[in-house]
Amino acid sequence: MAEKNQNVQEQDINQLLKVRRDKLKELQENGKDPFQITKYDVTHHSMDIKEQFERLEGQQVSVAGRIMSKRVMGKASFCNIQDLKGNIQSYVAKDSVGEEPYKEFKRLDVGDIVGIEGEVFKTKTGEISVHAAKVTLLTKSLQILPEKFHGLTNTDIRYRQRYVDLIMNEDVKDTFIKRSKVLSAIRRYLDDQGFMEVETPMLVSNAGGAAARPFETHFNALNEDFKLRISLELYLKRLIVGGLERVYEIGRVFRNEGLDTRHNPEFTLMELYQAYTDYHGMMDLTENLYRHVAKEVTGSEVITYGENQMDLSKPFARITMIDAVKQYAHVDFNEIHSTEEAKKVADEHHVAYEDRHEKGDILCLFFEEFVEEHLIQPTFVMDHPIEISPLTKKKPENPEYVERFELFMNGWEMANAYSELNDPIDQRERFEAQEKLFAAGDEEANHTDEDFLNALCVGMPPTGGIGYGIDRLVMMLTNSPAIRDVLLFPTMKSLDK
């Protein structure tokens, strides 16, 4: 029975689609092909008219948008059109537009894009509207929009057909408008701080700067294999060497890893580097930047995400990784002096590790297992073990640890920052250690970058650097449950597979 109903439904849809194509054919035969129209002069958007009604009442305006509903009566009808800023009603009467144009209006479909010229007025029920003097069909929609009451709810279709999702779901459009505002606010803030926006290569011979597996491709013209970048770091540091002092880049990076609510293989990263400062300077900058962006985009320094409320107006907490593990796991790594001891404690606490892991790696595993979920309010977790930080300066008083922090909010890592390692001899040794890890099976280990080492030999000043996950920040500021909800076109498995 269900299969029979589905077949009937498909036949009905096919018939409706045929009617739309027949209408288009008729228009074309009558010399009224909407696809021949190349422009339309819009004077106002829907929200502009509503916000400025007192000034615009009785004035002639020209609006354009998609018909989202239509109520046809005898000699007068109503339609609601949706544009970038919202929607507005139009009153279309035969006496105002003419008998033949009114017949043409009645044949329009929901989904068609029209231009409407007319006078701004308010109906008897108090709705601000446009009294149409002329209706122009600009685009004939040959597809049927989802039924208004049920809407577009299938998440797979929403992600694959984002263009329909944006039409049907106002909150989705709002999310992506806010995403644009986030990027604009970041750029304004950094520009005011004297930073210079730059662009660096996406196709690289050595994908370094992060612990991740890259995508690989072949460049036919040079007959060489290249990789898609996993980070922005090493090229931006070259620019610090070149004397640019304050640089940032907002761009796509690519990591050959799994998909989940917070990970997409293609995502937006922002990295910035500032000469003559350290990771404490990066903490101050981050705190001020996050407050600025939250206030600009949401109007408040208090963010609500799900059940959690985060107050960015207060000073962000600062804690070392060792102290955080001691607080939440009740294990003091200051009292653990060897990898063997660390593995014994890991066994006792049922923390899984690999044979190649050393004491610092196991400290990080304890942090992930016992601490991250508790870090709801903005918190800088500082002083990571050297084993997991191959590009970071050692702490002079304790060289087993480095001058690094990660920012956590809502239990998520939001940013990662260092006092950048600028000693080329130390950096070569760190790369060599990473090569050994790769040989031992760690596919995410860094590889030696000889040109970057040469840049460090030329000389890089003391520098602070940081990377921010833009998509996670947008998720938090828009209360979006998954990273796919803040990517216009997220990575999806092909329907052909």
Side-chain angles (χ1 to χ4, degrees):
M1 176 66 84
E3 185 176 342
K4 181 179 179 182
N5 289 339
Q6 184 178 353
N7 289 336
V8 170
Q9 189 176 25
E10 287 178 358
Q11 289 174 4
D12 290 343
I13 291 173
N14 289 335
Q15 181 59 34
L16 291 172
L17 293 174
K18 182 179 182 300
V19 168
R20 292 191 176 216
R21 290 182 181 270
D22 288 345
K23 287 181 180 179
L24 174 63
K25 184 178 179 181
E26 182 180 333
L27 286 166
Q28 291 170 332
E29 288 173 348
N30 292 329
K32 296 180 179 180
D33 185 353
F35 297 118
Q36 296 294 318
I37 297 174
T38 58
K39 62 173 291 190
Y40 187 81
D41 292 327
V42 176
T43 62
H44 296 79
H45 281 91
S46 56
M47 195 56 63
D48 302 332
I49 294 171
K50 292 179 178 180
E51 290 176 350
Q52 302 170 37
F53 174 72
E54 290 183 3
R55 183 176 66 82
L56 291 174
E57 184 178 13
Q59 301 295 311
Q60 291 291 316
V61 296
S62 174
V63 297
R66 188 180 301 275
I67 297 176
M68 298 304 293
S69 65
K70 204 173 102 185
R71 188 156 45 99
V72 175
M73 295 177 283
K75 297 181 179 181
S77 302
F78 290 92
C79 69
N80 193 286
I81 69 165
Q82 178 176 290
D83 61 16
L84 173 68
K85 297 184 179 181
N87 59 77
I88 193 165
Q89 178 177 269
S90 179
Y91 172 71
V92 184
K94 181 168 70 172
D95 290 344
S96 299
V97 298
E99 186 171 348
E100 191 60 34
Y102 187 65
K103 287 181 182 177
E104 292 174 356
F105 169 79
K106 291 197 293 184
R107 287 177 59 77
L108 296 179
D109 293 302
V110 169
D112 289 349
I113 298 173
V114 297
I116 295 178
E117 299 171 45
E119 184 179 301
V120 176
F121 80 113
K122 190 178 285 186
T123 65
K124 292 177 181 178
T125 59
E127 183 165 355
I128 295 170
S129 307
V130 177
H131 187 149
K134 183 178 181 182
V135 179
T136 305
L137 176 61
L138 303 174
T139 299
K140 183 66 189 171
S141 175
L142 301 179
Q143 187 55 275
I144 300 168
L145 292 177
E147 197 267 308
K148 186 70 175 174
F149 179 76
H150 297 290
L152 181 63
T153 56
N154 182 298
T155 53
D156 188 74
I157 295 175
R158 285 183 52 228
Y159 297 144
R160 292 183 188 278
Q161 298 183 18
R162 183 67 85 188
Y163 42 91
V164 180
D165 192 22
L166 290 166
I167 294 167
M168 300 306 300
N169 295 312
E170 189 66 31
D171 57 333
V172 172
K173 184 187 290 186
D174 183 60
T175 292
F176 289 104
I177 290 172
K178 284 183 176 174
R179 182 186 176 102
S180 178
K181 289 180 179 178
V182 167
L183 294 170
S184 297
I186 289 171
R187 286 187 165 100
R188 278 195 301 274
Y189 182 85
L190 292 178
D191 292 349
D192 288 345
Q193 297 296 312
F195 281 85
M196 172 181 173
E197 185 173 10
V198 297
E199 294 174 304
T200 61
M202 290 190 184
L203 282 173
V204 295
S205 55
N206 185 348
R213 186 165 56 177
F215 288 93
E216 298 182 3
T217 188
H218 185 76
F219 185 20
N220 293 332
L222 295 180
N223 194 27
E224 284 187 22
D225 290 334
F226 278 76
K227 299 176 178 67
L228 291 174
R229 66 185 181 187
I230 60 173
S231 170
L232 313 173
E233 181 166 347
L234 300 185
Y235 280 97
L236 290 176
K237 286 192 200 175
R238 286 170 167 91
L239 300 181
I240 296 292
V241 171
L244 295 187
E245 292 195 4
R246 296 189 182 202
V247 294
Y248 75 95
E249 180 173 8
I250 300 173
R252 289 288 180 139
V253 296
F254 309 85
R255 298 183 182 179
N256 201 346
E257 56 189 21
L259 294 157
D260 61 30
T261 56
R262 281 184 279 160
H263 293 88
N264 192 74
E266 174 184 3
F267 64 98
T268 301
L269 183 65
M270 182 183 82
E271 292 194 32
L272 65 83
Y273 293 84
Q274 178 179 341
Y276 311 113
T277 191
D278 62 2
Y279 74 144
H280 292 290
M282 291 296 102
M283 288 186 217
D284 294 339
L285 184 149
T286 298
E287 210 168 312
N288 293 330
L289 174 62
Y290 266 58
R291 285 194 193 109
H292 171 80
V293 173
K295 191 73 181 290
E296 284 271 310
V297 175
T298 70
S300 173
E301 293 177 353
V302 177
I303 299 171
T304 300
Y305 186 87
E307 298 177 353
N308 294 324
Q309 194 172 77
M310 290 148 280
D311 190 348
L312 278 68
S313 69
K314 299 176 181 177
F316 291 10
R318 302 188 182 196
I319 188 171
T320 66
M321 183 176 281
I322 283 183
D323 286 346
V325 169
K326 184 178 178 180
Q327 178 178 335
Y328 291 102
H330 310 295
V331 175
D332 188 354
F333 270 76
N334 283 319
E335 302 300 320
I336 297 172
H337 303 292
S338 68
T339 296
E340 289 69 29
E341 289 179 54
K343 288 183 176 179
K344 183 174 182 295
V345 172
D347 291 336
E348 292 169 355
H349 287 76
H350 308 290
V351 174
Y353 57 85
E354 298 177 24
D355 289 342
R356 63 182 174 82
H357 282 150
E358 299 183 21
K359 185 181 91 170
D361 299 298
I362 293 171
L363 168 61
C364 186
L365 292 172
F366 265 81
F367 175 79
E368 292 171 354
E369 181 74 22
F370 294 103
V371 181
E372 285 189 5
E373 64 182 307
H374 298 286
L375 303 178
I376 303 302
Q377 297 304 315
T379 303
F380 293 121
V381 177
M382 307 167 0
D383 303 347
H384 293 47
I386 194 170
E387 290 92 338
I388 61 169
S389 311
L391 296 161
T392 315
K393 274 193 174 184
K394 298 173 185 173
K395 292 183 69 65
E397 71 279 12
N398 190 355
E400 288 186 6
Y401 296 88
V402 297
E403 294 191 348
R404 173 183 175 185
F405 75 78
E406 291 173 299
L407 171 64
F408 280 84
M409 291 173 61
N410 193 55
W412 303 352
E413 178 203 335
M414 301 296 294
N416 183 23
Y418 318 147
S419 295
E420 302 296 336
L421 178 58
N422 62 342
D423 178 346
I425 298 170
D426 188 357
Q427 184 64 79
R428 182 174 289 280
E429 292 172 356
R430 307 272 194 101
F431 276 145
E432 288 171 355
Q434 288 286 301
E435 295 285 7
K436 289 178 183 176
L437 288 174
F438 183 78
D442 184 356
E443 294 182 332
E444 296 185 347
N446 281 232
H447 292 285
T448 304
D449 188 325
E450 291 293 347
D451 183 73
F452 176 65
L453 289 170
N454 183 63
L456 293 186
C457 286
V458 171
M460 185 173 83
T463 298
I466 189 166
Y468 302 90
I470 297 297
D471 306 302
R472 287 188 189 178
L473 177 57
V474 176
M475 285 175 66
M476 198 161 293
L477 293 177
T478 59
N479 200 9
S480 298
I483 192 171
R484 289 182 174 189
D485 295 318
V486 300
L487 298 173
L488 279 167
F489 301 101
T491 303
M492 304 288 290
K493 186 174 182 179
S494 172
L495 291 173
D496 297 331
K497 299 295 184 184

